[in-house]
Amino acid sequence: MFGRLASIVHQAAEVLAPSMSSRDEFIQSWKAITTQLIESKDDRQPVQATKIPKQLEKMLVLLSKEDKQYEENTGPCLEYLLQHKILDTLHTLGRGDTPPGMKQQVLIFFSNMLDSVRHPLLPQVHVHKPVQRLIKCCGNTASPTESEEVDFLLALCRKFRKDPHLVTFFLETYGTVSPGLDQASKPSLKFDLLSALLQLSKSADYSVALKAYEGLIVCTSLPQESAAVAIATNSTYCQQVVRRLADRYKDLPISLDCIELCTVTARWGLNDSAQQNPKQPVAADMAKLRLFFTWLDYIDKVVTTAHPIIIEKLVKGISDMFLSRCLLPLLLHPREDYKLASTNYLTRMLQVVSAPALVREFAVFLLGTDTTPEERNAPVVNHKLRHALIQHCDHVSEQLSMSTLCLFVSILALPTEHVIENLVLRNLQNRCYHSSPSHSDLAYLPRDKLLTDYAIRAEPGASNGMCNGSIGDEKQTGLLVDLSEATDGINFSQTSSPLVSPITTPSWLSSPLRSHPSSTMSPIQSPGTESRRWSLSSTSVQQHLQRSFNATWPSLDLSSAGIGSRDSMLRELACMRIVCNPDSLETTVNGFLDIIPSDLHIRGAETASTRYEAYLHDALVQVDQCNKRCSGWPWDISSETEASQSSFYEGAFLDIIFNMLLRMLDQPYSMNLQLTALLSQLVMFPHPFVHEYFLDASIPLAPGARSLYSVLVKVRDDLVVRVQRMPHFASSLMEARRRLTGQGTADLISMPNNTVFEGVVVLEEFCKEISAITFAKSTIALQDSS
């Protein structure tokens, strides 16, 4: 009876009494915490058994609510917190963990306060000092508060990401400057936040370690030079990162499954499936592969975003502690299994790294820095690794040769111009491969390298209406010109009117690894169907191009333009800024298609996916990607020195590749596929010398010089001689093709001369692929110019 009456009286008092302000509620909650701590008689009572967590949470709610009301000014609750140094008191309680579990509650309070309060707290002296002292309490290994510690440190990192200048409040100096000493002895800076994250990154809890490394990425990416110096010079961060990479590489198995290596997950931040799915255990070797390549991907992300001072220190550490000490000895090891394993691992590494500084370091490690022309039979003095890798391409071990060729495919795919300059361009720079090595007759020049006063003129009175391009007095082949402005208002039926225009070309770019068309081989059309020769005015080619470019492909109506009707073709080409002389492009493309004599071509049924257009479609995509990768590279086609009168030497790399290409009819099928994949990757580079040397079948070569076309012709001559000693060549070749494409039933290994037949199949397909690349480069040039 009396209890019910007291309850009614209490409720009435609450209704009649005025409501408390947010400041009073905040003070009441804090006093409730201090009262609980003072009156507590059992120091062993856990904090969860008290009202402290609830009161701290209430204080956070009040601070967050007040922050929304006072956007620019400091609210009364925050003022009380700062004036009474509540954060200092909480830090003291958390450091002593009194009562038990208090450190966890303090860390949660600090983390949530930093995330929920938008007011600039950290510049306040009564905020950043207790925060700094709390940072020093974090990072203890095997601590029960690891999760809360890393969340608190990440909350600080998020603040630094928004306002990088705040990091200066957390850089402490140690050491003093003695009077009279120079600036070199200025005190060093210490970054306790980084040290705590480094300790937490060693946690056995995967989620804690992952968050710690994410925080380290934020710290290394801060633009403040003082923070970068503290990390690079006065911490062990770079050494620990590189040491972990080296240790994980040493744990990799010597014998490995190449399929597993190619499919291994190498993305930082993806949780290990073995930890996420205990019911699906991962093999020990696969787990080691994932650990190494995931860590390499983490380093790549750090180098991509870090401060230049940290990048320099980290890349130097990778070069000294990993590449030179771990990788180099294995690549040069006398044991073949060591060479093979290290080559395969290196190939996968190159597919993971993308940071420009890291890519450059790998390229220099593999190839050196020399870009001067090579000399034939010169002693190997500098960079023995480059020489060894080139020799491994033609090794007695087929496995090592295949792996090294695959390695060079990955090297050529690196987004740095140093690779192509070191392997190829250093020997082509003076055009000594040409019988007249001057730049005046170069038909494929970038627009920024050509003189604008060069002009293309239509030859007056030409019987077939063909336009002959000329620079000076020399005939041009495949020259890209911009005639869009010069042809406005011109009557193309009057051949006496000259067509004058500045010379332009597209901005050539780069291509990723192309998949070899072993599964989409297209036999050349046999006599009796369509012509085997390619034609710019071919209806099928035009339809394919229109499908490829859709609306971006300019209108080109050449279906009625025969060999004798060149005026209409010229009119369309001039408006579209395509090659001035279409015959030169057809000559080059057909030059590769006609390498194998017509009576040795494979004849059989064709499908839509086994025609020349299949190669053309792939080439258009890959050349465009290659151009984009090479965009902005400082191509230098100028020659400051006189052309050398000595015999041309293509360099050690091309010498080995051409020698292997000459043995195509005697090499295994898989070796030929990898070899042609490498050459296809190489010829896509948008440098004028690369285009001329590899893809121009009509250039006059200097005495003793050889090009891709001349080597393929020698292979053809060797084939013609061998065919005379092979009965039933045509039927055996057809059976070999069907077997290789999965359509035949005969056992290819039991067939006599099966290696020769395989080589012929690869040779024929490679010629079609090279011709498709040649046309694709000109086609994409057209699209870029339109």
Side-chain angles (χ1 to χ4, degrees), residues 546-614:
Q546 290 172 1
R547 289 194 303 269
S548 300
F549 289 105
N550 295 326
T552 63
W553 179 257
S555 174
L556 178 60
D557 183 13
L558 300 179
S559 58
S560 61
I563 299 299
S565 179
R566 296 288 183 170
D567 283 337
S568 59
M569 178 183 291
L570 175 60
R571 177 168 57 254
E572 298 288 345
L573 295 176
C575 294
M576 295 163 50
R577 289 170 280 179
I578 198 172
V579 269
C580 175
N581 191 339
D583 272 351
S584 64
L585 180 59
E586 295 188 16
T587 300
T588 301
V589 171
N590 287 324
F592 285 100
L593 291 178
D594 289 341
I595 284 181
I596 299 180
S598 58
D599 55 345
L600 298 182
H601 277 283
I602 303 172
R603 303 177 182 180
E606 295 183 355
T607 61
S609 61
T610 59
R611 294 181 181 273
Y612 173 79
E613 284 77 7

Side-chain angles (χ1 to χ4, degrees), residues 173-179 181-182 184-188:
T173 59
Y174 65 94
T176 58
V177 181
S178 300
L181 295 180
D182 56 9
S185 61
K186 60 184 178 182
S188 302

Side-chain angles (χ1 to χ4, degrees), residues 761-781:
V761 172
V762 176
L763 174 62
E764 185 175 352
E765 299 306 315
F766 179 58
C767 289
K768 288 192 289 186
E769 185 175 17
I770 292 298
S771 66
I773 292 173
T774 304
F775 176 64
K777 294 179 78 172
S778 298
T779 301
I780 293 177

Side-chain angles (χ1 to χ4, degrees), residues 467-482:
C467 173
N468 292 323
S470 61
I471 296 180
D473 296 327
E474 296 180 345
K475 184 177 180 180
Q476 293 302 296
T477 58
L479 183 62
L480 298 173
V481 297
D482 187 351

